Amino acid sequence: MNRPVGLVTGSARGFGRQIALRFARGGWDVAVNYARSEGKAKAVADEVRSCGAEAIVVHGDVADAAARQNLIQAVMGCWGRLDCLVNNAGIGVPSSVVTASASAWDEILGVNLFGPIGLIRGAAEAMGPGSSIVNICSMCGVWGCAGASAYSTSKAAVGALA
């Protein structure tokens, strides 16, 4: 069967899990991505399969260039196509612009901003006409959130990607 294929980053829980399940219920096969929650990712894949869809589980921190490449290769190796990339993975560390360490900024921007940029670039080569890329933002990126400067900044930048 030639079903559409979606890759949802950070889909082991939360919004990502819900997006993966929505795809499955809509007749899509799904690549479930996780960085730290393997057991939860496998459970989401089982839920996807219970909807009659195919699923693969792919480990990888989207902040890592090699992991991003592996995500795209895993999808293409399994299905030979990618119809929708959902950049959902995200992290935040409560702190202000003054108190956030340089490493916290690097980690948050790596996952929340540079991960999506790298995946967009990699996915664009694999995607055909009619494919979609969805970047998940946050109201913190629109309004800013007290005590979450790096997170708010990263999500504002993702919202500006076009």
Side-chain angles (χ1 to χ4, degrees):
M1 184 184 260
N2 200 16
R3 297 158 51 102
V5 174
L7 164 58
V8 184
T9 66
S11 48
R13 58 189 181 89
F15 288 135
R17 175 182 171 271
Q18 293 301 320
I19 294 166
L21 293 175
R22 179 66 61 120
F23 273 140
R25 290 182 195 116
W28 290 60
D29 294 327
V30 182
V32 177
N33 162 249
Y34 75 97
R36 295 179 186 90
S37 304
E38 181 179 16
K40 290 180 181 180
K42 287 180 177 179
V44 171
D46 288 342
E47 289 181 88
V48 165
R49 292 182 193 106
S50 76
C51 297
E54 291 183 19
I56 59 171
V57 177
V58 186
H59 175 259
D61 181 342
V62 299
D64 179 76
R68 292 190 302 263
Q69 183 177 20
N70 181 57
L71 283 170
I72 302 298
Q73 288 175 345
V75 171
M76 296 305 290
C78 183
W79 292 295
R81 64 186 295 162
L82 176 58
D83 300 291
C84 186
L85 163 65
V86 180
N87 282 311
N88 170 72
I91 60 168
V93 176
S95 56
S96 73
V97 71
V98 175
T99 62
S101 68
S103 63
W105 276 92
D106 288 345
E107 182 180 21
I108 292 167
L109 292 174
V111 171
N112 297 359
L113 177 59
F114 299 121
I117 290 170
L119 281 164
I120 289 167
R121 294 171 61 111
E125 295 176 13
M127 298 173 113
S131 298
S132 300
I133 297 173
V134 178
N135 297 313
I136 303 297
C137 299
S138 168
M139 290 308 296
C140 288
V142 176
W143 304 106
C145 290
S149 297
Y151 177 80
S152 296
T153 300
S154 68
K155 289 301 186 174
V158 166
L161 288 175

